[in-house]
Amino acid sequence: MTFAALSLAVALQMSGPLSVGAKVPAATVKMKNAADGKMISIADVTGKAGTLVIFTCNHCPFARGWEKRITELANTYSKKGVGVILVNANDPAMHDEDGLAGTQARAQSLGLQVPYVVDESSAVARAFGASVTPEAFLFDAQGKLAYHGTVDDNHRDADKVQKRYLKDALDAVVAGKVPPVPETKGLGCGIKFRNG
Amino acid sequence: MAAVRAPGARAVLVNVWASWCEPCREEMPELLRYYRDNRARGLRLVLVSADDEEQRADVERLLAAQGFDGPAFIKHGDEMAFINGLDRHWSGELPSTFVFDGQGTKKLFWPGTITYGELGRRVGRLLAPAGKRASGAAKAADPTETPKTPSRRNP
């Protein structure tokens, strides 16, 4: 990577995530679906009630801690009119399991019923300003960002969750309402951006 | 922040880590080596664990194994409040390191792991006696400054 490209990448990473109300960026960028190898974009999965994009990965303790809850939310709300797509933007050179084969295996073992794609240049993650895994971006029926942030307030123990941020936001969006808490933060692993 | 603002330091490194975070554990010897080599010049190291209270024993065991004898803290309470309390611009990425000057003003921020060499290049000038900082200190005064080549080795 040239110095200029590296500087640009750093600038993009530091520019912060999308603001609430923003439209879906990089919506037509095709990414490989781990389940069947087909190239799909966020635009391809857009739902009538809304669209949920979650940047996640296969090795991160936070992503692993939340993965069953993410799967449950994805499978449940995809049946309620929300288009859902999970995006792995990590460079597999850093962690083997974040490659296509590892992503396919993870999707199968979790029973994911929505696409889990590989962002092969990390371009989509950069366009969103995503920085950690997992990190959720929920767009409403009009395609505007309604919620951005973490899944809930306890990645380690689902039984101790007190604030179900993402579920509450999904319920609101499906009902055509504004999420009660539109932006949250949670600890997470840094996305291992590929040289793009 | 009292540990950051306590008098006697020219620069303070605040490293946020977790016991289960492999890159955090990997970078710690580098951090500690830089701290030990430079504490006589006025460097202070503050370690902040993002572990939960239930993991306190792991945290204490790891710090003891590293022989760290400086200020160390563990996350308490709400995670979002913890993140914003450290820096409202911080995404929550682990590990991360913040650098403050002796007055408690944030000067630098590293998301991801750092090395001894990077610390020397970026923090060294804050440790220089006041009269020798000159242009370097002026450049370091931008609190949004981030190294051009941050390491991206995260958990």
Side-chain angles (χ1 to χ4, degrees), chain B residues 1 4 10 13 17-18 21 30 33-35 40 53 62 67 70 100 102 110-111 124 132 142 144 150 153-154:
Chain B
M1 288 302 288
V4 172
R10 282 201 178 110
L13 289 175
W17 68 292
C21 164
E30 295 263 304
R33 186 161 65 93
Y34 186 77
Y35 161 62
E53 188 60 37
L62 282 162
F100 297 83
W110 271 275
K132 295 186 178 179
D142 178 1
T144 63
R153 182 92 169 89
N154 317 100

Side-chain angles (χ1 to χ4, degrees), chain B residues 69-131:
Chain B
D69 56 359
F73 301 89
I74 190 166
K75 176 169 71 71
H76 178 73
D78 183 77
E79 200 162 273
M80 198 153 53
F82 170 77
I83 294 168
N84 288 330
L86 280 165
D87 187 331
R88 66 187 179 88
H89 297 296
W90 180 41
S91 69
E93 176 178 346
L94 291 181
S96 284
T97 300
F98 303 85
V99 184
F100 297 83
D101 67 12
Q103 287 70 49
T105 302
K106 192 180 79 175
K107 295 294 186 184
L108 297 166
F109 166 63
W110 271 275
T113 55
I114 54 177
T115 65
Y116 186 98
E118 287 172 327
L119 285 164
R121 284 189 292 278
R122 308 297 294 189
V123 181
R125 61 189 176 196
L126 291 175
L127 297 172

